[in-house]
């Protein structure tokens, strides 16, 4: 009886972890799809959606990098958009955003 109880608990834990992992993966895919829409758009389009960036860096190739921070469930989300000299979004990255 004890072995059955332990086995049942292990199965529930493993199934729960897979479910959480699947949801995180789905959220990451949605985030990437959302941010992909800004590629080849203007800096103004980006600011309309996300507002003024929290931080602006200068990249290695002199491109501007707009950094946006957000927090959900006390997890810090960071989105970075690289903007070329023609004010066009050419790249993005996202960390902990779901």
């Amino acid at each position: 009886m004890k072995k059955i109880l332990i086995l049942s608990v292990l199965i529930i834990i493993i199934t729960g972890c897979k479910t959480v992992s699947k949801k995180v993966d789905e959220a990451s895919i949605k985030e990437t799809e959302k941010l992909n829409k800004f590629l080849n758009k203007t800096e103004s389009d980006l600011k309309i959606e996300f507002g003024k960036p929290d931080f602006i860096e200068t990249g290695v190739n002199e491109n501007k990098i707009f950094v946006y921070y957000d927090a959900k469930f006390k997890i810090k989300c960071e989105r970075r958009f690289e903007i070329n000299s023609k004010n066009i979004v050419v790249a993005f990255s996202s960390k902990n955003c779901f």
Side-chain angles (χ1 to χ4, degrees):
M1 184 70 172
K2 202 175 193 180
K3 289 181 182 180
I4 293 173
L5 181 62
I6 292 172
L7 184 60
S8 298
V9 169
L10 286 175
I11 289 173
I12 290 171
I13 290 172
I14 291 170
T15 304
C17 291
K18 286 183 181 179
T19 302
V20 169
S21 177
K22 182 180 177 184
K23 288 185 179 187
V24 169
D25 291 343
E26 289 171 356
S28 295
I29 290 169
K30 286 181 182 178
E31 173 77 5
T32 301
E33 289 172 354
K34 175 183 175 181
L35 299 183
N36 262 331
K37 294 177 183 176
F38 292 99
L39 288 176
N40 299 315
K41 299 285 184 177
T42 66
E43 175 183 324
S44 299
D45 292 333
L46 185 64
K47 286 182 177 178
I48 289 170
E49 179 71 21
F50 290 100
K52 181 180 174 186
D54 295 306
F55 189 71
I56 300 175
E57 297 177 351
T58 303
V60 178
N61 53 2
E62 299 300 318
N63 286 351
K64 293 183 282 187
I65 299 173
F66 283 13
V67 182
Y68 293 92
Y69 295 111
D70 194 10
K72 191 182 272 189
F73 306 115
K74 296 190 178 185
I75 297 173
K76 190 174 183 180
C77 161
E78 178 184 274
R79 293 181 181 105
R80 295 173 161 268
F81 294 91
E82 185 174 346
I83 300 168
N84 66 14
S85 60
K86 297 178 183 177
N87 291 329
I88 302 296
V89 177
V90 293
F92 69 85
S93 67
S94 176
K95 184 168 63 173
N96 298 329
C97 301
F98 49 89

PDB file of all heavy atoms in Angstrom, residues 28-53:
ATOM      1  N   SER A  28       6.204  31.341 -24.144  1.00  0.00           N
ATOM      2  CA  SER A  28       7.409  31.819 -24.830  1.00  0.00           C
ATOM      3  C   SER A  28       7.167  31.945 -26.334  1.00  0.00           C
ATOM      4  O   SER A  28       7.620  32.904 -26.963  1.00  0.00           O
ATOM      5  CB  SER A  28       8.586  30.873 -24.583  1.00  0.00           C
ATOM      6  OG  SER A  28       8.930  30.865 -23.232  1.00  0.00           O
ATOM      7  N   ILE A  29       6.448  30.992 -26.881  1.00  0.00           N
ATOM      8  CA  ILE A  29       6.123  31.046 -28.311  1.00  0.00           C
ATOM      9  C   ILE A  29       5.240  32.256 -28.607  1.00  0.00           C
ATOM     10  O   ILE A  29       5.473  32.986 -29.579  1.00  0.00           O
ATOM     11  CB  ILE A  29       5.440  29.730 -28.760  1.00  0.00           C
ATOM     12  CG1 ILE A  29       6.468  28.589 -28.752  1.00  0.00           C
ATOM     13  CG2 ILE A  29       4.818  29.883 -30.146  1.00  0.00           C
ATOM     14  CD1 ILE A  29       5.856  27.221 -28.918  1.00  0.00           C
ATOM     15  N   LYS A  30       4.248  32.506 -27.766  1.00  0.00           N
ATOM     16  CA  LYS A  30       3.368  33.665 -27.959  1.00  0.00           C
ATOM     17  C   LYS A  30       4.149  34.967 -27.850  1.00  0.00           C
ATOM     18  O   LYS A  30       3.930  35.910 -28.604  1.00  0.00           O
ATOM     19  CB  LYS A  30       2.229  33.650 -26.943  1.00  0.00           C
ATOM     20  CG  LYS A  30       1.171  32.617 -27.229  1.00  0.00           C
ATOM     21  CD  LYS A  30       0.062  32.674 -26.205  1.00  0.00           C
ATOM     22  CE  LYS A  30      -0.970  31.599 -26.463  1.00  0.00           C
ATOM     23  NZ  LYS A  30      -2.034  31.614 -25.455  1.00  0.00           N
ATOM     24  N   GLU A  31       5.080  35.013 -26.893  1.00  0.00           N
ATOM     25  CA  GLU A  31       5.916  36.206 -26.715  1.00  0.00           C
ATOM     26  C   GLU A  31       6.752  36.458 -27.966  1.00  0.00           C
ATOM     27  O   GLU A  31       6.831  37.582 -28.458  1.00  0.00           O
ATOM     28  CB  GLU A  31       6.825  36.014 -25.490  1.00  0.00           C
ATOM     29  CG  GLU A  31       7.849  37.096 -25.300  1.00  0.00           C
ATOM     30  CD  GLU A  31       7.305  38.390 -24.726  1.00  0.00           C
ATOM     31  OE1 GLU A  31       6.125  38.467 -24.360  1.00  0.00           O
ATOM     32  OE2 GLU A  31       8.088  39.354 -24.641  1.00  0.00           O
ATOM     33  N   THR A  32       7.350  35.414 -28.509  1.00  0.00           N
ATOM     34  CA  THR A  32       8.167  35.551 -29.711  1.00  0.00           C
ATOM     35  C   THR A  32       7.321  36.009 -30.890  1.00  0.00           C
ATOM     36  O   THR A  32       7.740  36.888 -31.653  1.00  0.00           O
ATOM     37  CB  THR A  32       8.868  34.221 -30.038  1.00  0.00           C
ATOM     38  OG1 THR A  32       9.678  33.847 -28.915  1.00  0.00           O
ATOM     39  CG2 THR A  32       9.739  34.332 -31.267  1.00  0.00           C
ATOM     40  N   GLU A  33       6.135  35.444 -31.038  1.00  0.00           N
ATOM     41  CA  GLU A  33       5.237  35.859 -32.122  1.00  0.00           C
ATOM     42  C   GLU A  33       4.862  37.331 -31.984  1.00  0.00           C
ATOM     43  O   GLU A  33       4.835  38.067 -32.971  1.00  0.00           O
ATOM     44  CB  GLU A  33       3.979  34.991 -32.132  1.00  0.00           C
ATOM     45  CG  GLU A  33       4.217  33.576 -32.599  1.00  0.00           C
ATOM     46  CD  GLU A  33       3.002  32.681 -32.417  1.00  0.00           C
ATOM     47  OE1 GLU A  33       1.982  33.122 -31.824  1.00  0.00           O
ATOM     48  OE2 GLU A  33       3.061  31.518 -32.860  1.00  0.00           O
ATOM     49  N   LYS A  34       4.583  37.765 -30.754  1.00  0.00           N
ATOM     50  CA  LYS A  34       4.212  39.158 -30.504  1.00  0.00           C
ATOM     51  C   LYS A  34       5.364  40.093 -30.877  1.00  0.00           C
ATOM     52  O   LYS A  34       5.171  41.098 -31.544  1.00  0.00           O
ATOM     53  CB  LYS A  34       3.841  39.338 -29.033  1.00  0.00           C
ATOM     54  CG  LYS A  34       3.555  40.762 -28.629  1.00  0.00           C
ATOM     55  CD  LYS A  34       3.278  40.862 -27.137  1.00  0.00           C
ATOM     56  CE  LYS A  34       3.110  42.302 -26.709  1.00  0.00           C
ATOM     57  NZ  LYS A  34       2.877  42.417 -25.265  1.00  0.00           N
ATOM     58  N   LEU A  35       6.575  39.745 -30.442  1.00  0.00           N
ATOM     59  CA  LEU A  35       7.722  40.616 -30.686  1.00  0.00           C
ATOM     60  C   LEU A  35       8.184  40.575 -32.147  1.00  0.00           C
ATOM     61  O   LEU A  35       8.718  41.551 -32.654  1.00  0.00           O
ATOM     62  CB  LEU A  35       8.871  40.248 -29.741  1.00  0.00           C
ATOM     63  CG  LEU A  35       8.556  40.390 -28.249  1.00  0.00           C
ATOM     64  CD1 LEU A  35       9.776  40.063 -27.415  1.00  0.00           C
ATOM     65  CD2 LEU A  35       8.018  41.759 -27.905  1.00  0.00           C
ATOM     66  N   ASN A  36       7.967  39.463 -32.823  1.00  0.00           N
ATOM     67  CA  ASN A  36       8.313  39.355 -34.250  1.00  0.00           C
ATOM     68  C   ASN A  36       7.583  40.400 -35.086  1.00  0.00           C
ATOM     69  O   ASN A  36       8.076  40.834 -36.120  1.00  0.00           O
ATOM     70  CB  ASN A  36       7.967  37.967 -34.784  1.00  0.00           C
ATOM     71  CG  ASN A  36       9.167  37.062 -34.826  1.00  0.00           C
ATOM     72  OD1 ASN A  36      10.302  37.502 -34.977  1.00  0.00           O
ATOM     73  ND2 ASN A  36       8.916  35.778 -34.682  1.00  0.00           N
ATOM     74  N   LYS A  37       6.407  40.803 -34.647  1.00  0.00           N
ATOM     75  CA  LYS A  37       5.608  41.783 -35.387  1.00  0.00           C
ATOM     76  C   LYS A  37       6.298  43.149 -35.455  1.00  0.00           C
ATOM     77  O   LYS A  37       5.972  43.962 -36.299  1.00  0.00           O
ATOM     78  CB  LYS A  37       4.227  41.931 -34.757  1.00  0.00           C
ATOM     79  CG  LYS A  37       3.382  40.687 -34.873  1.00  0.00           C
ATOM     80  CD  LYS A  37       2.055  40.849 -34.171  1.00  0.00           C
ATOM     81  CE  LYS A  37       1.266  39.549 -34.242  1.00  0.00           C
ATOM     82  NZ  LYS A  37       0.011  39.634 -33.498  1.00  0.00           N
ATOM     83  N   PHE A  38       7.253  43.394 -34.547  1.00  0.00           N
ATOM     84  CA  PHE A  38       7.927  44.685 -34.524  1.00  0.00           C
ATOM     85  C   PHE A  38       9.177  44.734 -35.392  1.00  0.00           C
ATOM     86  O   PHE A  38       9.733  45.812 -35.605  1.00  0.00           O
ATOM     87  CB  PHE A  38       8.271  45.081 -33.082  1.00  0.00           C
ATOM     88  CG  PHE A  38       7.045  45.382 -32.282  1.00  0.00           C
ATOM     89  CD1 PHE A  38       6.503  44.431 -31.437  1.00  0.00           C
ATOM     90  CD2 PHE A  38       6.399  46.597 -32.407  1.00  0.00           C
ATOM     91  CE1 PHE A  38       5.358  44.686 -30.713  1.00  0.00           C
ATOM     92  CE2 PHE A  38       5.249  46.868 -31.695  1.00  0.00           C
ATOM     93  CZ  PHE A  38       4.730  45.913 -30.837  1.00  0.00           C
ATOM     94  N   LEU A  39       9.621  43.586 -35.894  1.00  0.00           N
ATOM     95  CA  LEU A  39      10.775  43.593 -36.789  1.00  0.00           C
ATOM     96  C   LEU A  39      10.423  44.382 -38.050  1.00  0.00           C
ATOM     97  O   LEU A  39       9.330  44.249 -38.594  1.00  0.00           O
ATOM     98  CB  LEU A  39      11.189  42.170 -37.161  1.00  0.00           C
ATOM     99  CG  LEU A  39      11.852  41.366 -36.048  1.00  0.00           C
ATOM    100  CD1 LEU A  39      12.128  39.950 -36.531  1.00  0.00           C
ATOM    101  CD2 LEU A  39      13.121  42.028 -35.562  1.00  0.00           C
ATOM    102  N   ASN A  40      11.340  45.215 -38.471  1.00  0.00           N
ATOM    103  CA  ASN A  40      11.189  46.088 -39.642  1.00  0.00           C
ATOM    104  C   ASN A  40      10.138  47.179 -39.450  1.00  0.00           C
ATOM    105  O   ASN A  40       9.720  47.800 -40.419  1.00  0.00           O
ATOM    106  CB  ASN A  40      10.909  45.273 -40.911  1.00  0.00           C
ATOM    107  CG  ASN A  40      12.036  44.320 -41.213  1.00  0.00           C
ATOM    108  OD1 ASN A  40      13.209  44.691 -41.143  1.00  0.00           O
ATOM    109  ND2 ASN A  40      11.705  43.086 -41.529  1.00  0.00           N
ATOM    110  N   LYS A  41       9.690  47.387 -38.218  1.00  0.00           N
ATOM    111  CA  LYS A  41       8.799  48.507 -37.904  1.00  0.00           C
ATOM    112  C   LYS A  41       9.649  49.661 -37.384  1.00  0.00           C
ATOM    113  O   LYS A  41      10.811  49.502 -37.051  1.00  0.00           O
ATOM    114  CB  LYS A  41       7.772  48.108 -36.831  1.00  0.00           C
ATOM    115  CG  LYS A  41       6.868  46.978 -37.237  1.00  0.00           C
ATOM    116  CD  LYS A  41       5.835  47.434 -38.205  1.00  0.00           C
ATOM    117  CE  LYS A  41       4.884  46.279 -38.495  1.00  0.00           C
ATOM    118  NZ  LYS A  41       3.820  46.611 -39.364  1.00  0.00           N
ATOM    119  N   THR A  42       9.046  50.824 -37.280  1.00  0.00           N
ATOM    120  CA  THR A  42       9.800  51.995 -36.840  1.00  0.00           C
ATOM    121  C   THR A  42       9.885  52.063 -35.314  1.00  0.00           C
ATOM    122  O   THR A  42       9.116  51.434 -34.598  1.00  0.00           O
ATOM    123  CB  THR A  42       9.146  53.298 -37.342  1.00  0.00           C
ATOM    124  OG1 THR A  42       7.868  53.434 -36.716  1.00  0.00           O
ATOM    125  CG2 THR A  42       9.014  53.306 -38.850  1.00  0.00           C
ATOM    126  N   GLU A  43      10.822  52.878 -34.875  1.00  0.00           N
ATOM    127  CA  GLU A  43      10.985  53.153 -33.447  1.00  0.00           C
ATOM    128  C   GLU A  43       9.687  53.711 -32.872  1.00  0.00           C
ATOM    129  O   GLU A  43       9.293  53.375 -31.755  1.00  0.00           O
ATOM    130  CB  GLU A  43      12.131  54.152 -33.280  1.00  0.00           C
ATOM    131  CG  GLU A  43      12.379  54.639 -31.893  1.00  0.00           C
ATOM    132  CD  GLU A  43      13.491  55.672 -31.854  1.00  0.00           C
ATOM    133  OE1 GLU A  43      14.474  55.576 -32.609  1.00  0.00           O
ATOM    134  OE2 GLU A  43      13.350  56.603 -31.048  1.00  0.00           O
ATOM    135  N   SER A  44       9.003  54.532 -33.636  1.00  0.00           N
ATOM    136  CA  SER A  44       7.731  55.123 -33.187  1.00  0.00           C
ATOM    137  C   SER A  44       6.673  54.061 -32.942  1.00  0.00           C
ATOM    138  O   SER A  44       5.927  54.129 -31.959  1.00  0.00           O
ATOM    139  CB  SER A  44       7.217  56.120 -34.220  1.00  0.00           C
ATOM    140  OG  SER A  44       8.130  57.159 -34.398  1.00  0.00           O
ATOM    141  N   ASP A  45       6.599  53.072 -33.839  1.00  0.00           N
ATOM    142  CA  ASP A  45       5.635  51.978 -33.657  1.00  0.00           C
ATOM    143  C   ASP A  45       5.915  51.231 -32.357  1.00  0.00           C
ATOM    144  O   ASP A  45       4.993  50.857 -31.633  1.00  0.00           O
ATOM    145  CB  ASP A  45       5.687  50.995 -34.831  1.00  0.00           C
ATOM    146  CG  ASP A  45       5.188  51.592 -36.128  1.00  0.00           C
ATOM    147  OD1 ASP A  45       4.350  52.513 -36.070  1.00  0.00           O
ATOM    148  OD2 ASP A  45       5.638  51.144 -37.195  1.00  0.00           O
ATOM    149  N   LEU A  46       7.179  51.028 -32.074  1.00  0.00           N
ATOM    150  CA  LEU A  46       7.578  50.336 -30.852  1.00  0.00           C
ATOM    151  C   LEU A  46       7.172  51.137 -29.619  1.00  0.00           C
ATOM    152  O   LEU A  46       6.615  50.601 -28.659  1.00  0.00           O
ATOM    153  CB  LEU A  46       9.093  50.108 -30.860  1.00  0.00           C
ATOM    154  CG  LEU A  46       9.682  49.300 -29.727  1.00  0.00           C
ATOM    155  CD1 LEU A  46       9.167  47.869 -29.763  1.00  0.00           C
ATOM    156  CD2 LEU A  46      11.196  49.315 -29.805  1.00  0.00           C
ATOM    157  N   LYS A  47       7.407  52.446 -29.664  1.00  0.00           N
ATOM    158  CA  LYS A  47       7.064  53.302 -28.529  1.00  0.00           C
ATOM    159  C   LYS A  47       5.555  53.408 -28.329  1.00  0.00           C
ATOM    160  O   LYS A  47       5.085  53.547 -27.209  1.00  0.00           O
ATOM    161  CB  LYS A  47       7.661  54.693 -28.711  1.00  0.00           C
ATOM    162  CG  LYS A  47       9.159  54.734 -28.476  1.00  0.00           C
ATOM    163  CD  LYS A  47       9.678  56.139 -28.629  1.00  0.00           C
ATOM    164  CE  LYS A  47      11.156  56.231 -28.326  1.00  0.00           C
ATOM    165  NZ  LYS A  47      11.669  57.593 -28.516  1.00  0.00           N
ATOM    166  N   ILE A  48       4.796  53.325 -29.404  1.00  0.00           N
ATOM    167  CA  ILE A  48       3.335  53.345 -29.279  1.00  0.00           C
ATOM    168  C   ILE A  48       2.868  52.130 -28.477  1.00  0.00           C
ATOM    169  O   ILE A  48       1.997  52.238 -27.619  1.00  0.00           O
ATOM    170  CB  ILE A  48       2.657  53.389 -30.670  1.00  0.00           C
ATOM    171  CG1 ILE A  48       2.866  54.761 -31.299  1.00  0.00           C
ATOM    172  CG2 ILE A  48       1.173  53.045 -30.568  1.00  0.00           C
ATOM    173  CD1 ILE A  48       2.463  54.840 -32.759  1.00  0.00           C
ATOM    174  N   GLU A  49       3.469  50.985 -28.736  1.00  0.00           N
ATOM    175  CA  GLU A  49       3.064  49.753 -28.053  1.00  0.00           C
ATOM    176  C   GLU A  49       3.621  49.655 -26.629  1.00  0.00           C
ATOM    177  O   GLU A  49       2.909  49.301 -25.696  1.00  0.00           O
ATOM    178  CB  GLU A  49       3.529  48.535 -28.857  1.00  0.00           C
ATOM    179  CG  GLU A  49       3.188  47.203 -28.222  1.00  0.00           C
ATOM    180  CD  GLU A  49       1.712  46.861 -28.267  1.00  0.00           C
ATOM    181  OE1 GLU A  49       0.981  47.418 -29.108  1.00  0.00           O
ATOM    182  OE2 GLU A  49       1.292  46.035 -27.443  1.00  0.00           O
ATOM    183  N   PHE A  50       4.903  49.967 -26.449  1.00  0.00           N
ATOM    184  CA  PHE A  50       5.557  49.736 -25.161  1.00  0.00           C
ATOM    185  C   PHE A  50       5.844  51.008 -24.372  1.00  0.00           C
ATOM    186  O   PHE A  50       6.231  50.942 -23.216  1.00  0.00           O
ATOM    187  CB  PHE A  50       6.876  48.986 -25.363  1.00  0.00           C
ATOM    188  CG  PHE A  50       6.689  47.561 -25.795  1.00  0.00           C
ATOM    189  CD1 PHE A  50       6.826  47.205 -27.126  1.00  0.00           C
ATOM    190  CD2 PHE A  50       6.347  46.580 -24.883  1.00  0.00           C
ATOM    191  CE1 PHE A  50       6.656  45.903 -27.535  1.00  0.00           C
ATOM    192  CE2 PHE A  50       6.172  45.272 -25.276  1.00  0.00           C
ATOM    193  CZ  PHE A  50       6.319  44.924 -26.602  1.00  0.00           C
ATOM    194  N   GLY A  51       5.697  52.161 -24.996  1.00  0.00           N
ATOM    195  CA  GLY A  51       5.979  53.414 -24.310  1.00  0.00           C
ATOM    196  C   GLY A  51       7.463  53.750 -24.333  1.00  0.00           C
ATOM    197  O   GLY A  51       8.249  53.174 -25.082  1.00  0.00           O
ATOM    198  N   LYS A  52       7.837  54.688 -23.496  1.00  0.00           N
ATOM    199  CA  LYS A  52       9.228  55.113 -23.405  1.00  0.00           C
ATOM    200  C   LYS A  52      10.054  53.968 -22.795  1.00  0.00           C
ATOM    201  O   LYS A  52       9.651  53.368 -21.801  1.00  0.00           O
ATOM    202  CB  LYS A  52       9.314  56.355 -22.514  1.00  0.00           C
ATOM    203  CG  LYS A  52      10.686  56.913 -22.366  1.00  0.00           C
ATOM    204  CD  LYS A  52      10.679  58.132 -21.461  1.00  0.00           C
ATOM    205  CE  LYS A  52      12.108  58.583 -21.211  1.00  0.00           C
ATOM    206  NZ  LYS A  52      12.148  59.676 -20.238  1.00  0.00           N
ATOM    207  N   PRO A  53      11.214  53.672 -23.379  1.00  0.00           N
ATOM    208  CA  PRO A  53      12.031  52.579 -22.830  1.00  0.00           C
ATOM    209  C   PRO A  53      12.550  52.917 -21.437  1.00  0.00           C
ATOM    210  O   PRO A  53      12.770  54.085 -21.104  1.00  0.00           O
ATOM    211  CB  PRO A  53      13.180  52.440 -23.833  1.00  0.00           C
ATOM    212  CG  PRO A  53      13.173  53.664 -24.646  1.00  0.00           C
ATOM    213  CD  PRO A  53      11.824  54.278 -24.559  1.00  0.00           C
TER     214      PRO A  53
END
